[in-house]
Amino acid sequence: QRLADTLRREGALDFGSQMSLAARVARDHPEVGLSERERFRVVLLDEYQDTGHAQRVLLSALFGGGQDPDLAVTAVGDPMQSIYGWRGASAANLPRFATDFALPGGVPAPRLELLTSWRNPPEALELANVSSEPLRDRGVTVSRLRPRPDATDGDVRLALLPDVEAEREWVADRIAAEYAAALAAETPPPTAAVLVRRNADAAPVAEALRARGLPVEVVGLGGLLHTPEVADVLAMLRLAADPMAGSAAVRVLTGARWQLGAADLKALWRRAQELAISGRFGVSGAVTDPDALDDALDSALPGEYADQAGLADAISDPGDRKQYSTFGYARITALGKELASLRERLGQPLTELVAEVERIMGIGIEAQARVDSRGGIAGREHLDAFADVVASYAGRGNATLSGLLAYLAAAEEIEKGLAPGEVEV
């Protein structure tokens, strides 16, 4: 009920409500379909197996039923690729298309099967047909794939390896060998794709490929918030906004810019204890997040120091410089000045605040200067994509920094960290 009330107050619709309302309009008001058929004389429906009931009603009311004999409607789909049943999609919509969009006189629409693969060798198609055989046994009426008439032979290789790390190395070695051979022969380097079952496997595979000097783009990972430059900006934002953001503090302190060592981090943790902010409640009475901070400290320090620590306050007031190394104290105080400067700007527009964080950290210049081993410039695609996300959120009338951070935290958990920027490879 709270969700429905919020949507109504904001004048917003979720996808299901939007489809339902549109379907009712199309079904109950024939003049709407007449208007749309006058505008669109050729209708192409892609991935039709992913449509739900409301979409089927909407489309058939607008363009189906043989209402216009000169209207051309085509749907493309594959019932074996119907993977969105959990959100209401029905592969049964595909066979129903023939009757929903019947020809004048009620004759079912003709069906054409696209079974010839123009980009796969026969060996790969044979493997695909064998793998999909159980689906046919369950009654899916789809014929077997076949190669193009002049298809060249392919090469299918299997490897049984002791663990996932060995598998990644094997895959990376195979692709790197093909790439090196092309460069040696002065031919255009090949393109390659690595398919993974889980999104969590994509980043480690990409790292294995990059370690061999190969240009890599991760497609569909949704890891914008996990790219190093964006993660650093986000950590600095969280640290400036929330003194109790211990995990963000640890990332900033131990990151590539400040590189605080374990001894200095331990001393800073002790200073936090001295400031009496290591218990359950912080100076403002806010409860710290012990689990997140424990994980962050555990990654940088031995487990005995993984306590609830308000490191941000210790950064602002590090205490006796003798407790730190010379370089460590200088870095902590410099970071403290940056944080103080940022906190003075927390009230400015979000887009300007994020740009200021990027400027202070110098991370945009670093990203643009980073060059991979093949001579290609990595650029600031991810930073620009993050700026677009911030600008989109800032367009709301009630946008705040705390709201932005909460939105990004939800996106990190639910939307796999948002879509990354497009990298030219």
Side-chain angles (χ1 to χ4, degrees):
Q1 186 59 46
R2 284 176 56 200
L3 175 61
D5 292 342
T6 302
L7 289 172
R8 192 176 300 108
R9 185 172 61 252
E10 297 283 344
L13 292 171
D14 62 15
F15 181 74
S17 298
Q18 188 177 29
M19 285 294 99
S20 177
L21 288 171
R24 289 184 182 133
V25 169
R27 181 193 63 191
D28 300 338
H29 299 275
E31 65 274 15
V32 174
L34 180 61
S35 172
E36 294 302 290
R37 289 190 296 277
E38 289 177 352
R39 294 178 61 203
F40 302 106
R41 304 303 299 160
V42 176
V43 181
L44 305 174
L45 308 174
D46 196 17
E47 304 291 0
Y48 199 69
Q49 78 278 355
D50 293 334
T51 55
H53 177 71
Q55 291 167 302
R56 176 193 174 208
V57 172
L58 168 66
L59 294 168
S60 60
L62 293 177
F63 304 112
Q67 303 172 73
D68 186 336
D70 297 322
L71 182 71
V73 183
T74 300
V76 178
D78 181 354
M80 287 192 178
Q81 295 186 42
S82 181
I83 59 174
Y84 293 105
W86 54 273
R87 73 176 187 193
S90 174
N93 285 354
L94 202 50
R96 289 173 180 156
F97 177 88
T99 52
D100 288 341
F101 296 85
L103 302 177
V107 179
R111 167 182 161 179
L112 300 173
E113 289 189 300
L114 302 175
L115 300 175
T116 301
S117 172
W118 295 90
R119 61 184 177 185
N120 293 113
E123 292 81 0
L125 294 175
E126 181 61 26
L127 193 60
N129 286 327
V130 171
S131 300
S132 60
E133 204 63 54
L135 295 175
R136 294 185 185 83
D137 294 340
R138 292 205 292 264
V140 178
T141 56
V142 176
S143 303
R144 293 170 63 88
L145 299 170
R146 56 178 178 255
R148 67 178 187 268
D150 57 344
T152 56
D153 292 339
D155 187 9
V156 176
R157 301 195 181 196
L158 306 177
L160 184 61
L161 300 159
D163 52 50
V164 67
E165 287 82 7
E167 181 179 353
R168 292 180 196 135
E169 297 298 313
W170 183 82
V171 169
D173 285 340
R174 291 283 305 151
I175 296 176
E178 297 281 347
Y179 200 91
L183 292 179
E186 298 184 350
T187 59
T191 59
V194 181
L195 308 182
V196 294
R197 283 186 175 272
R198 305 178 309 157
N199 283 321
D201 294 325
V205 170
E207 287 305 310
L209 293 167
R210 290 192 183 104
R212 288 156 176 79
L214 299 174
V216 179
E217 179 181 7
V218 181
V219 179
L221 177 61
L224 175 65
L225 301 181
H226 302 140
T227 56
E229 56 266 42
V230 173
D232 287 343
V233 170
L234 189 51
M236 195 69 169
L237 273 174
R238 284 176 173 150
L239 185 55
D242 180 10
M244 305 309 293
S247 56
V250 171
R251 179 178 181 91
V252 171
L253 288 165
T254 61
R257 186 175 184 215
W258 298 110
Q259 300 181 27
L260 203 67
D264 287 322
L265 196 58
K266 173 182 173 182
L268 195 66
W269 173 83
R270 284 176 176 164
R271 177 58 179 166
Q273 301 286 39
E274 292 173 9
L275 293 172
I277 56 175
S278 65
R280 175 170 172 77
F281 292 93
V283 289
S284 62
V287 180
T288 64
D289 181 357
D291 293 335
L293 187 51
D294 283 354
D295 291 342
L297 286 172
D298 274 338
S299 67
L301 290 175
E304 60 184 292
Y305 303 113
D307 202 343
Q308 303 171 34
L311 290 176
D313 292 272
I315 293 169
S316 300
D317 182 10
D320 188 357
R321 66 187 306 153
K322 295 179 182 178
Q323 311 221 6
Y324 309 91
S325 69
T326 302
F327 288 113
Y329 185 80
R331 290 169 182 174
I332 292 170
T333 53
L335 174 58
K337 291 177 182 177
E338 286 190 2
L339 283 173
S341 174
L342 277 177
R343 284 168 181 156
E344 292 176 356
R345 294 173 169 82
L346 290 183
Q348 68 186 54
L350 292 176
T351 51
E352 295 178 16
L353 178 62
V354 171
E356 181 68 11
V357 170
E358 185 183 311
R359 185 192 68 78
I360 287 177
M361 297 177 70
I363 203 161
I365 297 173
E366 180 185 343
Q368 286 182 295
R370 188 171 65 238
V371 178
D372 65 29
S373 61
R374 294 288 174 188
I377 298 176
R380 48 170 298 124
E381 293 90 349
H382 300 309
L383 288 172
D384 290 340
F386 181 65
D388 289 341
V389 171
V390 174
S392 176
Y393 178 85
R396 307 180 183 187
N398 56 352
T400 62
L401 177 57
S402 60
L404 171 65
L405 294 175
Y407 164 72
L408 295 175
E412 191 168 5
E413 178 179 353
I414 298 169
E415 297 190 29
K416 296 176 268 188
L418 302 174
E422 293 185 9
V423 179
E424 185 175 343
V425 297

